[in-house]
Amino acid sequence: MTAYEKVRTARNNARPTACDYIGRIFSSFIELHGDRRYRDDKAVIGGIAFLRDMPVTVIGIEKGHTANERIHHSFGSPSPEGYRKALRLMRMSEKFRHPIVTLVDTSGAYCGIGAEERGQGEAIAENLLEMSALSVPIVSLLIGEGGSGGALALALSDRLWMLENSIYSVISPEGCASILWRDGGEAAKAAEALRLTAEDAAELGIADRIIDEELIGTDYFYTKLRDELYEEILSLSSHENIRDERYRRFRAFGEHQKI
């Protein structure tokens, strides 16, 4: 598949969303609502659950499948209150020593005037700052689109796993093409230049693992992913200086491109 074919696959509305993963991987999920400042953002779904016998906090960006679901969830584009809700849950995780699992699938943060007025940039920046200092393990699964800071705000983690046909980029191929060539029709060309595929992210040292999608959506797929997540979190929980390791992980990005 070409890079742009993977972009289209990542955007497919039949693709499993965060709620699908939560329902099939975790048990006893209790959703928690609101940021305690403004409102509950339906683009971000989060709460407490069990990963096998392990209590965890799980936070996902939800797109929905049907047109009505996508409208309800703002097409998976969180507003500031969505990120603040996620931050509230992560702070709760720190208090109760629960590992965190995030499920990322967004074309980017909501860019409306209201979101900007309520501090969209600040909300994303605060998440990045706070996540960098958490002392509990954080594992992020990039299950579809990973667009710009809207995705990074839930992906500053100890481990980033990407599904085979997911993407991770600073801008959409269409937006990049419109800026560089003033022609959104050059999106396929931009997708190649952006190096946004899971393979590219792994080569650059950003993604720690690529998850095969051959059996995506099956019981076997979810069971295997549950067990692998459980083992990964157990391993991370034994690390004594996890914050320092997270710091070094992000500081190492791009080292191979030194001049």
Side-chain angles (χ1 to χ4, degrees):
M1 294 175 67
T2 67
Y4 196 59
E5 286 172 340
K6 292 202 171 190
V7 171
R8 298 179 69 177
T9 301
R11 294 171 175 170
N12 192 319
N13 61 7
R15 189 176 181 83
T17 64
C19 283
D20 296 318
Y21 284 87
I22 291 171
R24 300 289 291 277
I25 292 177
F26 304 91
S27 61
S28 303
F29 175 66
I30 300 174
E31 184 178 357
L32 301 174
H33 299 271
D35 67 340
R36 301 297 186 265
R37 295 189 191 182
Y38 183 65
R39 68 177 176 92
D40 184 40
D41 182 5
K42 302 299 184 182
V44 176
I45 305 294
I48 54 177
F50 280 93
L51 180 64
R52 285 173 43 179
D53 61 349
M54 179 190 298
V56 298
T57 296
V58 57
I59 305 166
I61 301 177
E62 174 65 22
K63 282 186 173 180
H65 293 289
T66 67
N68 286 339
E69 286 176 352
R70 293 206 160 200
I71 291 170
H72 179 70
H73 294 290
S74 300
F75 296 87
S77 292
S79 295
E81 46 273 18
Y83 293 114
R84 289 174 181 140
K85 173 167 68 172
L87 181 58
R88 180 173 72 85
L89 296 179
M90 288 188 281
R91 285 171 172 163
M92 181 186 71
S93 299
E94 181 82 349
K95 179 178 180 179
F96 292 105
R97 308 302 303 159
H98 289 173
I100 299 168
V101 178
T102 66
L103 302 161
V104 180
D105 185 14
T106 180
S107 60
Y110 188 72
C111 57
I113 293 175
E116 295 299 328
E117 289 175 339
R118 296 192 300 276
Q120 184 72 283
E122 179 193 23
I124 292 172
E126 189 172 11
N127 273 31
L128 298 178
L129 176 64
E130 295 272 355
M131 289 182 79
S132 69
L134 293 174
S135 60
V136 294
I138 310 170
V139 177
S140 296
L141 271 64
L142 216 165
I143 60 175
E145 286 188 276
S148 193
L152 183 60
L154 288 183
L156 202 157
S157 53
D158 303 297
R159 297 291 184 269
L160 174 68
W161 293 1
M162 292 181 67
L163 266 70
E164 181 182 3
N165 294 318
S166 62
I167 59 171
Y168 202 14
S169 67
V170 70
I171 190 172
S172 70
E174 295 83 2
C176 177
S178 296
I179 292 170
L180 294 184
W181 298 291
R182 298 186 180 182
D183 181 3
E186 297 285 355
K189 180 180 177 181
E192 295 291 343
L194 284 167
R195 302 198 64 188
L196 45 65
T197 68
E199 290 79 7
D200 289 326
E203 184 181 338
L204 293 167
I206 295 168
D208 299 288
R209 183 172 182 179
I210 300 174
I211 300 170
D212 189 282
E213 291 191 21
E214 183 178 1
L215 298 175
I216 190 171
T218 65
D219 288 340
Y220 175 80
F221 173 83
Y222 290 115
T223 301
K224 185 171 184 288
L225 187 54
R226 177 195 304 130
D227 293 342
E228 290 169 345
L229 273 173
Y230 183 84
E231 294 300 326
E232 186 68 71
I233 291 173
L234 274 184
S235 174
L236 288 169
S237 297
S238 67
H239 295 199
E240 294 183 0
N241 299 307
I242 197 165
R243 283 183 292 189
D244 293 339
E245 291 177 17
R246 190 181 305 137
Y247 173 81
R248 288 193 293 270
R249 165 179 155 75
F250 279 84
R251 287 290 293 177
F253 289 171
E255 278 190 352
H256 67 290
Q257 294 186 359
K258 286 181 177 178
I259 299 174

